[in-house]
Amino acid sequence: MVSKAERLQQQYEISKARADSAKAALAELRRIQNQKAKKEARKKRNHALFESAGLMILADLVVSESGLPAVDRGALLGGLMAVAKTLEHGPESTRFQEWKSTGDALLGEREAARPSPPVKTPATAPDQTPSGSAIV
């Protein structure tokens, strides 16, 4: 016959093993969530960098096929540094407003030239019955 103390000791050990297992599962879930968050942040950063590279291609500062600068690297960096220095005066400066209007105009032209995605209308998309089969 098992004494009450032994039975309680066994229950304690089982409970401790379950708690340890739950802690390990929680740690693994947190690790996976952290990985996903880092991956998402990296994707957002990469997207922003690709957009910046795209702007440099639009300005003919970078060759799109090779990704190489279209001008001397030192000259390109010096020019970008001059732009950064000019931007220190803020968006109210005349130079900033000139650059913005020129850039917005080019971006607007490119957006207008981009083909629009097809819009699904009831005439082009078949109706669905609740069972999921198409109505003919």
Side-chain angles (χ1 to χ4, degrees):
M1 180 177 240
V2 178
S3 71
K4 186 174 181 178
E6 291 172 339
R7 191 175 71 247
L8 290 174
Q9 181 64 33
Q10 288 174 349
Q11 287 177 348
Y12 169 78
E13 289 173 6
I14 291 170
S15 296
K16 185 169 181 344
R18 286 181 181 161
D20 289 344
S21 176
K23 282 182 182 178
L26 178 61
E28 179 64 13
L29 284 174
R30 285 185 176 153
R31 185 188 67 77
I32 290 169
Q33 286 177 336
N34 286 340
Q35 276 183 334
K36 286 181 180 179
K38 286 180 181 179
K39 183 177 181 179
E40 187 62 32
R42 190 171 51 248
K43 286 174 77 174
K44 285 182 180 180
R45 179 181 180 275
N46 287 346
H47 182 73
L49 289 171
F50 290 140
E51 283 183 336
S52 297
L55 293 174
M56 292 183 69
I57 290 170
L58 282 175
D60 292 329
L61 296 174
V62 173
V63 179
S64 63
E65 292 81 22
S66 66
L68 297 173
V71 297
D72 179 74
R73 289 177 36 184
L76 178 59
L77 178 58
L80 291 173
M81 289 172 65
V83 168
K85 184 133 179 95
T86 302
L87 293 178
E88 289 176 358
H89 297 117
E92 59 277 344
S93 73
T94 307
R95 176 82 57 174
F96 179 90
Q97 291 302 321
E98 290 172 10
W99 290 343
K100 180 165 176 36
S101 64
T102 303
D104 286 346
L106 178 59
L107 291 172
E109 289 173 17
R110 290 187 52 84
E111 190 63 33
R114 175 183 274 173
S116 60
V119 178
K120 290 186 178 180
T121 62
T124 59
D127 290 333
Q128 298 289 320
T129 63
S131 65
S133 62
I135 298 176
V136 183

